[in-house]
Amino acid sequence: MSDLFLYILIAGALAFAISSWWGVRSLKALHARSPVREDPHAHGLERQRVAVVLNPVKAKAAEARATIQRACLTAGWDEPRFYETTVEDPGHSQVRAALAYGADVVLVGGGDGTVRVVAESLAHTGVAMGLIPLGTGNLLARNVNLDLYDLHGSVQTALFGHQRFIDTARMGIENSQTGRSSNHAFLVIAGIGMDAEVVGDTNDGLKRTVGWLAYTEAGVRHLTGRRKKVSISLDGQPEQTRKIRSVLFANCGLVPGGIDLIPQAMIDDGMLDVVVMSPRSAVGWLAMYAKIVFKHKRHLPVMSVYRSGKIVIRCPEPMPTQLDGDITGEATKVTVQVDPGSLLIRVRALPGITQGGSPA
């Protein structure tokens, strides 16, 4: 059987499982689980100063602004302060201004990039972040069980819900050929290799039209390609040499399409789940796809999963990287480390419990 035929089969399976209403519902049921260990707690604030970091180019930005203003007015609180992001400043100075204002909660209205930047600035401050998902992937919102299509519900959760501490992680990126280096936070999944290639090659027009399904089209186009040699060190242990297509670093594992990419990943366990992917042909990709979608427990030589608090990967030649769906340049070395319990976020209250913490 030729690789071309298998690629067609993979594309067909992806299209069916992801674009079919029945398929997505079935996958969601199969992959349903809680990606957290600890229960949330009430924030105990009767009045709140509310700041909002808002990406104004998002389609529902104006509706989000009006909904937040209305909710604060109804609660009898001060008018929320809005800080809009720009291309030049995606949220860093806006969060500093919100903290200087004395905000009790900072709502972030935007996509995964805006959420990541705001979270990086709020980590270790003890100020809660509320999610108003307005993007394509909305990765963190999926992993804390927000309804992505209920704007009013997201605002209510961000203002009046319970809250929990979650882990964040950081990736240090070094490129020995250019001399450039950087260090960034991420919340859900970072990666080096093919996954970053797919993110960088996703058609923007298609993304605006069909949302996260556009990544599937780019993924199929990148199935072919050679494996690259890297060295991997976990928690300071001796390096192991592998030939890989991609390595993922997961803080949590729920992704679009109802898929739990890494079933054991927890957002508050103080560990990262490292997925090393090394298929040589379409057969390997098909096996990986089946294992992930149908949650097969059998070990695959082309897909290894490790748990670690710190990972160092070295590459003889530069490889692309990504953080929560944002391209972050090529690297010959990445250092990834978890930052346990560093971010406070607002989440849905537990059923039957009021904001004050007593039975409803």
Side-chain angles (χ1 to χ4, degrees), residues 346-360:
R346 292 280 169 88
V347 295
R348 290 178 175 179
L350 292 175
I353 302 295
T354 65
Q355 172 55 39
S358 58

Side-chain angles (χ1 to χ4, degrees), residues 241-252:
T241 301
R242 300 284 299 271
K243 287 186 176 181
I244 61 99
R245 289 296 310 279
S246 185
V247 180
L248 299 178
F249 316 99
N251 191 31
C252 44

Side-chain angles (χ1 to χ4, degrees), residues 76-333:
W77 300 342
D78 293 338
E79 179 83 6
R81 297 276 185 97
F82 288 87
Y83 305 93
E84 294 188 348
T85 65
T86 64
V87 174
E88 295 77 18
D89 190 344
H92 295 291
S93 68
Q94 292 84 347
V95 174
R96 288 196 296 270
L99 294 175
Y101 164 61
D104 297 301
V105 60
V106 177
L107 277 55
V108 50
D112 293 318
T114 307
V115 171
R116 185 176 62 80
V117 170
V118 172
E120 182 172 359
S121 297
L122 282 180
H124 297 289
T125 66
V127 176
M129 181 175 76
L131 298 171
I132 313 297
L134 303 178
T136 302
N138 301 307
L139 295 175
L140 182 61
R142 294 175 190 275
N143 279 273
V144 296
N145 197 32
L146 291 184
D147 186 340
L148 307 183
Y149 306 103
D150 182 5
L151 179 59
H152 174 77
S154 294
V155 171
Q156 291 295 304
T157 296
L159 294 177
F160 309 109
H162 283 198
Q163 55 194 28
R164 70 165 77 250
F165 284 99
I166 65 170
D167 303 336
T168 62
R170 299 196 70 89
M171 177 189 277
I173 302 167
E174 301 176 34
N175 188 328
S176 62
Q177 294 191 4
T178 63
R180 297 185 62 179
S181 64
S182 60
N183 192 288
H184 308 278
F186 68 94
L187 300 167
V188 182
I189 297 178
I192 182 170
M194 177 189 160
D195 62 297
E197 294 173 356
V198 170
V199 170
D201 199 27
T202 298
N203 184 282
D204 288 337
L206 190 62
K207 190 175 176 181
R208 286 190 293 269
T209 303
V210 300
W212 55 266
L213 287 172
Y215 293 109
T216 302
E217 182 272 338
V220 171
R221 286 191 284 111
H222 280 269
L223 286 178
T224 58
R226 66 183 181 89
R227 300 185 303 166
K228 296 182 180 180
K229 184 181 292 186
V230 302
S231 67
I232 303 174
S233 173
L234 305 174
D235 287 328
Q237 296 299 310
E239 295 181 346
Q240 54 176 298
T241 301
R242 300 284 299 271
K243 287 186 176 181
I244 61 99
R245 289 296 310 279
S246 185
V247 180
L248 299 178
F249 316 99
N251 191 31
C252 44
L254 299 176
V255 296
I259 301 295
D260 194 357
L261 182 65
I262 305 159
Q264 63 269 42
M266 305 289 282
I267 201 169
D268 60 352
D269 63 354
M271 298 292 286
L272 294 173
D273 292 84
V274 185
V275 184
V276 181
M277 301 180 180
S278 55
R280 284 183 271 189
S281 67
V283 175
W285 286 115
L286 185 59
M288 283 177 46
Y289 174 76
K291 177 179 173 63
I292 292 169
V293 170
F294 300 108
K295 301 186 76 171
H296 291 318
K297 297 182 186 283
R298 183 178 176 182
H299 173 69
L300 287 177
V302 297
M303 181 179 178
S304 302
V305 181
Y306 307 92
R307 288 172 56 76
S308 178
K310 181 179 180 181
I311 309 98
V312 179
I313 294 184
R314 302 175 190 272
C315 326
E317 57 183 290
M319 296 178 66
T321 63
Q322 63 85 17
L323 299 168
D324 290 345
D326 284 342
I327 291 298
T328 45
E330 292 191 330
T332 54
K333 177 184 176 183

